Amino acid sequence: MSAAVAAQSAYTPGEQPQGGGWIKLNTNENPYPPSPLVVAAIQRELGGDGASLRLYPSPKSAPLRLAAARFHGTNVENVIVGNGSDDVLNLLARTFSDASRPVGMLDPSYSLYPVLSGLCAASVRRVPVSIEGDFDADAVAGCAANIFFLTNPNAPLGTAFSREKIESVLARFDGLLVVDEAYAPFANADTTGLLSEYPNLVITRTFSKAYALAGMRVGYALASAEVIAALDRVRDSYNLDRLAQVAGAAALEDTAYYERTIATIKATREATAAALQGRGWRVLPSQANFLMVSPPSERSISSAPAAAALFQFLKENKVLTRHFPQNPLTAPFLRVSIGNDAEMAVFLDIADKWVAAGGAAQLASVS
Ligand code: PMP
């Protein structure tokens, strides 16, 4: 085993239960199916007998990259696609970090970044995000990272940073700034408009959340032609299968469908936040398809043990959420993905039962 691998633990993904009956609010999947155009494109590609599967797919995913380029008003040389955006993040880490080229990230943010950096033997520079959702742009600019992962909207907090904030980092940071926009379709703004001005900007996107294709594994990055060409040296020659390529391209065609489902998810997000706030819960403002929520307690301060107990109670009732106890900022919260209205009603009902049974009050008296 290499020293870098020996020093590294594997990334822990959210739980994916295989049996039925669960309400899955733990990995920010979309509660609605993908566009019918996606289903038709997959069926067309498969044909009656699946004969197309005998043949290797387009090695550079040419039609999908063209579709993504058109969607963002850029050129095919500025797009690379991956087997989920995790694949693209992996390419970025492997291409631009090593033992003498540190990786930077916001803290808290996506816990895959340090795993990828560790595998490249790169050290990690962390810049804290406050609970109000701000960070010090000078700290990013001065952290001497060769590549910095900035999740916008932030995960797991849900906060979105303004375009001005991102620009203030870009103007001062010497390295490559990767804005991970996995959740940007749910936000009020994105950073894609800055690509033509800043050659050190990379934007990553996924089809897993807004496009309801987590099971297909498709993501992409937008960047300068030079950065894309460098990533292409590291990429597996056939990193996207035939079905994933046609599914992604078809999804980008159906803007009307996705505008509707995204608007519905945002409305459910706001209704759920209002319902919880009305019950005295703390809810962080979110521009993603999840909410960070913390139950009320006797002392009116949220606590990590309360969040852990609530997580367990919800799980016993077949509702999966996510708890991040490692970071003191996230420990008092549960991250709850936005499901459909019926799923959120079940979540609220079980959460109410826990509060009514004195869950938080009992804990407040012992903690
Ligand atoms: N970035 C962030 C911030 C995420 O939360 C996720 C999903 N866990 C990803 C990237 C990766 O998504 P995927 O590989 O499914 O495209």
Side-chain angles (χ1 to χ4, degrees):
M1 210 189 304
S2 78
V5 173
Q8 189 59 55
S9 325
Y11 170 72
T12 316
E15 202 171 334
Q16 309 298 350
Q18 296 306 309
W22 289 91
I23 293 187
K24 270 196 93 265
L25 306 178
N26 66 332
T27 44
N28 304 335
E29 289 142 327
N30 198 309
Y32 303 107
S35 152
L37 296 189
V38 170
V39 180
I42 293 172
Q43 282 166 345
R44 204 178 317 120
E45 180 65 28
L46 264 181
D49 58 0
S52 70
L53 299 181
R54 294 175 303 112
L55 305 174
Y56 282 102
S58 162
K60 293 197 168 193
S61 301
L64 173 56
R65 285 170 64 216
L66 188 60
R70 287 211 180 109
F71 185 80
H72 290 288
T74 185
N75 302 312
V76 79
E77 301 76 36
N78 300 109
V79 184
I80 190 165
V81 298
N83 181 31
S85 59
D86 282 350
D87 182 26
V88 175
L89 297 169
N90 188 7
L91 293 178
L92 283 160
R94 285 167 67 200
T95 309
F96 294 104
S97 79
D98 60 27
S100 57
R101 291 177 179 76
V103 171
M105 58 179 276
L106 295 179
D107 187 24
S109 70
Y110 187 26
S111 52
L112 179 69
Y113 309 141
V115 175
L116 299 177
S117 321
L119 291 172
C120 300
S123 62
V124 179
R125 310 280 156 88
R126 292 170 199 263
V127 172
V129 185
S130 69
I131 199 79
E132 292 79 25
D134 202 7
F135 65 89
D136 182 356
D138 286 333
V140 176
C143 79
N146 197 48
I147 177 168
F148 194 99
F149 292 104
L150 194 159
T151 323
N152 193 32
N154 181 269
L157 297 181
T159 331
F161 309 114
S162 69
R163 183 186 160 114
E164 292 70 35
K165 184 86 194 186
I166 305 289
E167 224 174 336
S168 75
V169 174
L170 280 167
R172 277 178 270 181
F173 180 53
D174 285 339
L176 208 58
L177 184 73
V178 179
V179 181
D180 180 342
E181 290 196 342
Y183 300 99
F186 303 102
N188 299 336
D190 65 43
T191 318
T192 49
L194 295 175
L195 277 164
S196 54
E197 279 172 69
Y198 293 96
N200 62 333
L201 173 63
V202 180
I203 294 178
T204 59
R205 290 277 182 117
T206 180
F207 286 83
S208 300
K209 319 292 179 183
Y211 292 96
L213 287 173
M216 281 313 289
R217 312 303 302 126
V218 196
Y220 58 98
L222 306 169
S224 72
E226 290 71 27
V227 167
I228 298 295
L231 296 172
D232 218 33
R233 292 194 201 175
V234 183
R235 188 180 60 81
D236 286 348
S237 6
Y238 301 105
N239 63 331
L240 229 66
D241 67 60
R242 282 179 169 272
L243 303 184
Q245 291 191 27
V246 297
L252 290 175
E253 272 172 41
D254 205 349
T255 36
Y257 175 87
Y258 285 110
E259 273 169 17
R260 273 199 310 279
T261 48
I262 290 168
T264 306
I265 291 166
K266 285 163 77 173
T268 306
R269 176 184 76 199
E270 296 314 310
T272 307
L276 289 168
Q277 278 159 341
R279 290 157 162 85
W281 289 54
R282 181 162 187 202
V283 182
L284 298 186
S286 169
Q287 288 197 29
N289 67 336
F290 55 82
L291 287 169
M292 284 293 263
V293 307
S294 187
S297 82
E298 286 275 282
R299 293 174 185 172
S300 74
I301 44 163
S302 349
S303 77
L310 175 60
F311 171 85
Q312 208 45 48
F313 186 79
L314 285 162
K315 189 170 173 180
E316 281 156 19
N317 286 279
K318 300 215 93 174
V319 176
L320 275 183
T321 58
R322 198 92 194 256
H323 184 216
F324 300 97
Q326 301 82 0
N327 188 308
L329 211 69
T330 54
F333 293 88
L334 291 189
R335 193 193 67 188
V336 182
S337 309
I338 303 302
N340 61 32
D341 288 335
E343 290 170 324
M344 298 323 280
V346 173
F347 162 75
L348 285 172
D349 185 46
I350 296 169
D352 281 347
K353 286 196 175 108
W354 183 77
V355 172
Q362 283 166 23
L363 282 156
S365 61
V366 291
S367 61

